[in-house]
Amino acid sequence: MRVLVIGSGGREHALAWHLAHCPSVRKVFACPGNPGMSDVADCLPPTGDYLALAERLNIGLTVVGPEVPLVAGIADQFRAGGRKIIGPSAEAARLEGSKVFSKQMMQQCGIPTARYAVAEDYESAARELARFTFPVVLKADGLAAGKGVVISPDRAHAENTLQHLFSGQLVGAAGQRVVIEEFLQGEEVSFIALCDGQYAEVLEPTQDHKAVCDGDTGPNTGGMGAYCDSRILTPEQTSQILDTVIYPILHQTGFTGFLYAGLMMTADGAKVLEFNVRLGDPEAQALLYRAKSDLAQTLLASTEGRLKEAPIKWKPDPVVCVVMSAHGYPGKVRTGDIITGLPDASAAGATVFHAGTTLEASRLRTAGGRVLGVTASGATLQSAIEKSYRAVERIHFDGAHYRKDIARKGLKRW
Ligand code: AMP
Ligand code: GLY
């Protein structure tokens, strides 16, 4: 089978890397891909018409990494054109495309989530604030590349944030409607299931690290590192989340593709912070590194409504992925810094997934906020952590930043 991966980040590199190792896959194409992906895939120039590309290359299965094409309806377009693709309909993708829609769907399906209000202008938002205690969570309704959620410690901060949201200064048109939400406390878990419209195959649990600095401090990012470890959830928690979060959505929407529930494990049980309609990044790097079976077969089965017949098999060892980011991230990012040390990192036993990199005159340089995802496994979580960081220390670029505490929270379960 010939497979096409759409996207250019670390998640897409991990997808292409895993798929290239699948016995059922003959060739992997990536559009547009990145320099790391060119080791395992043919990287193609960006296009506005992925369906035409898939037809021209006779692609048997297309996997979409990022949310934007899914929200724009790429999966409907492929299915109408008779091409197999992993992803939900545009209607179901609104779970990620609109926080208001997502909260309404959760309410309709009785899914546990934070109390909330919706406001369409500054005055009503400021009035609604009176019904919440601080800190309070403010969320832009539309897609905002991970920058649309602000936690406000007090009223003055909240009012200032609301002004920036409604004026378009913070995230443009995405902030024209705002969800005001109760602040939840607990540990976050990324719970991802592959769905075929009727059945859900749960992936191993992962934990992301959203804040830019150690100890979960500083502004939120797309994710500074993740680990995948069965011990994050008990089998009872997993089956409860499946029943109370994943299946209600599956039944309501006939969801196909990856359904990602961002959960807060509160004292009252798991509550949904958000839904995404794709794999997480950097969760995917840890997950795909750990998957043992031919994922292409499972994905293909999911497009044919026979996912139940093709379960994913996992290696037992936990996996840690540490993200190295560029100078300035998550603010204004500097690009063009020369990256060295990747062969040494590989020699240290890690796999380095590229994200924001570019090749210029045969030198690898930084080209985006999150630059690399340094990924390794170990017989214990501690050894996986040590192996990843030994590799990280061998990589250099000016302005490089990484968190020193990725997966540290997980050690208490060992
Ligand atoms: P979201 O995009 O909705 O997942 O929000 C991004 C991040 O903001 C989450 O991963 C959490 O770290 C934080 N967050 C979102 N909603 C809440 C909430 N209700 N309580 C506490 N933290 C939240
Ligand atoms: N790592 C969080 C996300 O992919 O949304």
Side-chain angles (χ1 to χ4, degrees):
M1 175 167 52
R2 291 153 73 87
V3 176
L4 172 64
V5 175
I6 294 177
S8 64
R11 166 185 50 209
E12 290 77 24
H13 186 181
L15 272 166
W17 172 86
H18 177 97
L19 292 168
H21 291 98
C22 288
S24 69
V25 173
R26 205 153 46 83
K27 193 165 178 57
V28 181
F29 296 88
C31 186
N34 65 38
M37 288 163 87
S38 56
D39 288 345
V40 290
D42 271 12
C43 294
L44 306 163
T47 171
D49 190 346
Y50 291 112
L51 180 57
L53 181 70
E55 280 167 352
R56 182 163 61 76
L57 297 171
N58 193 22
I59 298 294
L61 180 71
T62 298
V63 188
V64 187
E67 61 276 15
V68 172
L70 292 167
V71 171
I74 190 174
D76 300 311
Q77 197 200 0
F78 267 59
R79 285 189 199 109
R83 290 267 151 198
K84 292 185 170 137
I85 188 163
I86 302 301
S89 64
E91 176 62 20
R94 290 175 71 201
L95 281 168
E96 178 162 2
S98 164
K99 300 251 187 225
V100 174
F101 176 85
S102 179
K103 292 297 277 191
Q104 285 165 348
M105 180 71 87
M106 288 187 237
Q107 202 166 30
Q108 197 181 334
C109 297
I111 294 171
T113 187
R115 188 169 67 81
Y116 76 105
V118 177
E120 312 229 346
D121 57 64
Y122 174 77
E123 284 70 30
S124 59
R127 264 197 315 276
E128 287 290 348
L129 280 181
R131 296 177 41 225
F132 292 84
T133 53
F134 294 95
V136 72
V137 186
L138 305 172
K139 301 185 173 184
D141 177 44
L143 289 181
K147 297 188 180 99
V149 176
V150 178
I151 296 170
S152 282
D154 54 50
R155 191 171 179 105
H157 187 279
E159 286 177 354
N160 192 38
T161 304
L162 287 169
Q163 250 151 13
H164 285 107
L165 278 165
F166 285 110
S167 71
Q169 249 171 296
L170 204 59
V171 290
Q176 293 313 295
R177 275 206 299 182
V178 171
V179 172
I180 303 168
E181 197 173 279
E182 166 199 13
F183 178 78
L184 298 176
Q185 264 169 320
E187 238 182 79
E188 285 184 55
V189 174
S190 304
F191 191 97
I192 307 177
L194 177 62
C195 302
D196 73 356
Q198 293 200 309
Y199 175 76
E201 165 83 4
V202 184
L203 312 192
E204 287 286 301
T206 48
Q207 206 165 43
D208 186 15
H209 299 66
K210 286 261 166 65
V212 72
C213 294
D214 286 6
D216 297 327
T217 56
N220 266 356
T221 68
M224 292 302 295
Y227 67 104
C228 177
D229 179 3
S230 314
R231 298 176 193 220
I232 292 172
L233 293 174
T234 64
E236 293 73 32
Q237 285 174 314
T238 300
S239 83
Q240 209 215 345
I241 296 163
L242 247 184
D243 289 347
T244 59
V245 175
I246 301 296
Y247 271 105
I249 294 287
L250 188 46
H251 290 145
Q252 183 71 23
T253 64
F255 197 93
T256 55
F258 291 105
L259 178 60
Y260 166 143
L263 303 175
M264 188 70 93
M265 306 304 290
T266 73
D268 298 333
K271 295 195 179 177
V272 177
L273 298 178
E274 65 164 343
F275 281 113
N276 295 320
V277 298
R278 50 168 174 83
L279 283 170
D281 184 340
E283 291 93 328
Q285 290 85 314
L287 281 163
L288 291 155
Y289 195 82
R290 219 186 129 187
K292 183 168 75 175
S293 53
D294 184 325
L295 187 68
Q297 293 278 29
T298 302
L299 293 173
L300 190 67
S302 83
T303 65
E304 294 166 358
R306 42 176 199 86
L307 175 58
K308 220 174 187 167
E309 297 166 17
I312 304 170
K313 296 199 181 68
W314 301 92
K315 296 175 202 153
D317 292 350
V319 177
V320 174
C321 169
V322 179
V323 168
M324 298 182 76
S325 60
H327 182 273
Y329 182 73
K332 194 171 159 32
V333 169
R334 186 177 74 206
T335 58
D337 289 309
I338 292 172
I339 304 168
T340 57
L342 295 195
D344 292 343
S346 302
T351 296
V352 181
F353 295 116
H354 290 224
T357 69
T358 186
L359 257 184
E360 267 176 39
S362 59
R363 301 222 68 162
L364 193 67
R365 291 175 188 267
T366 61
R370 291 187 291 172
V371 178
L372 300 167
V374 183
T375 311
S377 65
T380 62
L381 187 58
Q382 179 67 38
S383 63
I385 292 172
E386 285 167 11
K387 206 166 170 188
S388 301
Y389 279 105
R390 269 200 303 277
V392 165
E393 282 154 19
R394 294 178 180 202
I395 298 172
H396 178 81
F397 50 91
D398 282 347
H401 167 75
Y402 58 91
R403 275 181 63 159
K404 317 284 184 299
D405 62 349
I406 300 302
R408 202 64 71 65
K409 276 194 201 109
L411 291 175
K412 63 176 178 287
R413 300 188 188 93
W414 283 74

